[in-house]
Amino acid sequence: MLFISAGHSNLPTKDQGAIYKPFIEGNEAALFCQTLKNNLDNLLVSNYLDPFENFLKDTLNAYKNLVKKTDFAIDFHFNANENTTISGTEILVNTKTEKTKQIATELLKMISSTLQIESRGIKGEADSQHNRLGFLHLPCESMIVEICFLSNKKDMDKYKKNQQELALKIAFLFAEYNL
């Protein structure tokens, strides 16, 4: 089964993630996951769990109790930095099994080419700015996708222009891998 998460929340009283006006990470991630879900439905892919409308901690706790070792979990985020010229997409993975590595590689290339932004690579938890990324500690293969930099106007312009195409391509990729 595929478990999808919109990193952070689109609920104003919950953890909304990074905020760079006019963008709020939780809103952008939730909208992207909804578009992805619609595309999966249109492709008749039904082996996925809808993102919860909670903040990340609640979703993470729910997923810990639901996932099995054979499942695949993916958490969508938007990166941010005070240096608003930093650009690109990156993926953080919990393991580097061949399947996860192959999916991450294809996904990273797909995002980079669709949005025409730099690929910042596939990384592990130790490469992130956080001490611990709970999503990478689920008892299944998991990854965190930083689609682009919310704090970079050019990244977000390219994302907004191509978000529908990107969500469709990702849905096809998930269908191809039968996640």
Side-chain angles (χ1 to χ4, degrees):
M1 169 132 349
L2 173 64
F3 288 79
I4 300 169
S5 172
H8 302 288
S9 173
N10 63 347
L11 303 174
T13 58
K14 302 287 185 179
D15 175 20
Q16 294 182 299
I19 299 174
Y20 279 84
K21 298 290 183 185
F23 304 113
I24 299 171
E25 182 179 10
N27 292 349
E28 296 301 325
L31 288 170
F32 183 77
C33 284
Q34 183 60 51
T35 304
L36 177 60
K37 175 194 169 302
N38 293 344
N39 285 312
L40 289 168
D41 290 344
N42 291 339
L43 293 172
L44 303 178
V45 173
S46 59
N47 61 330
Y48 71 92
L49 185 65
D50 289 356
F52 292 96
E53 291 202 11
N54 293 313
F55 71 116
L56 188 57
K57 181 181 171 191
D58 291 340
T59 300
L60 186 60
N61 286 334
Y63 280 6
K64 281 180 185 176
N65 296 321
L66 294 172
V67 299
K68 296 179 182 82
K69 188 174 183 174
T70 57
D71 293 329
F72 193 87
I74 187 162
D75 191 26
F76 289 96
H77 285 258
F78 288 81
N79 226 331
N81 196 293
E82 288 180 13
N83 178 349
T84 59
T85 63
I86 295 176
S87 172
T89 182
E90 63 189 18
I91 297 178
L92 300 150
V93 296
N94 66 342
T95 63
K96 294 210 176 181
T97 65
E98 282 307 309
K99 182 178 180 180
T100 300
K101 189 174 181 179
Q102 187 173 359
I103 292 168
T105 299
E106 288 185 44
L107 190 53
L108 190 65
K109 184 178 178 182
M110 180 184 296
I111 296 168
S112 178
S113 66
T114 302
L115 301 184
Q116 295 296 298
I117 60 176
E118 174 187 355
S119 169
R120 296 171 52 87
I122 299 167
K123 302 175 179 182
E125 183 176 49
D127 299 314
S128 86
Q129 72 244 25
H130 303 286
N131 291 337
R132 183 174 164 84
L133 298 167
F135 205 85
L136 295 184
H137 292 273
L138 291 171
C140 67
E141 292 296 313
S142 62
M143 66 176 61
I144 297 171
V145 176
E146 298 280 1
I147 295 174
C148 67
F149 274 81
L150 189 77
S151 53
N152 182 299
K153 182 179 178 348
K154 290 179 183 177
D155 271 19
M156 287 306 291
D157 287 346
K158 291 173 183 180
Y159 167 73
K160 286 298 191 178
K161 180 180 176 187
N162 297 292
Q163 68 187 36
Q164 298 291 329
E165 177 185 358
L166 181 62
L168 182 59
K169 286 180 176 181
I170 292 173
F172 273 111
L173 180 71
F174 291 168
E176 178 184 323
Y177 276 95
N178 196 30
L179 294 177

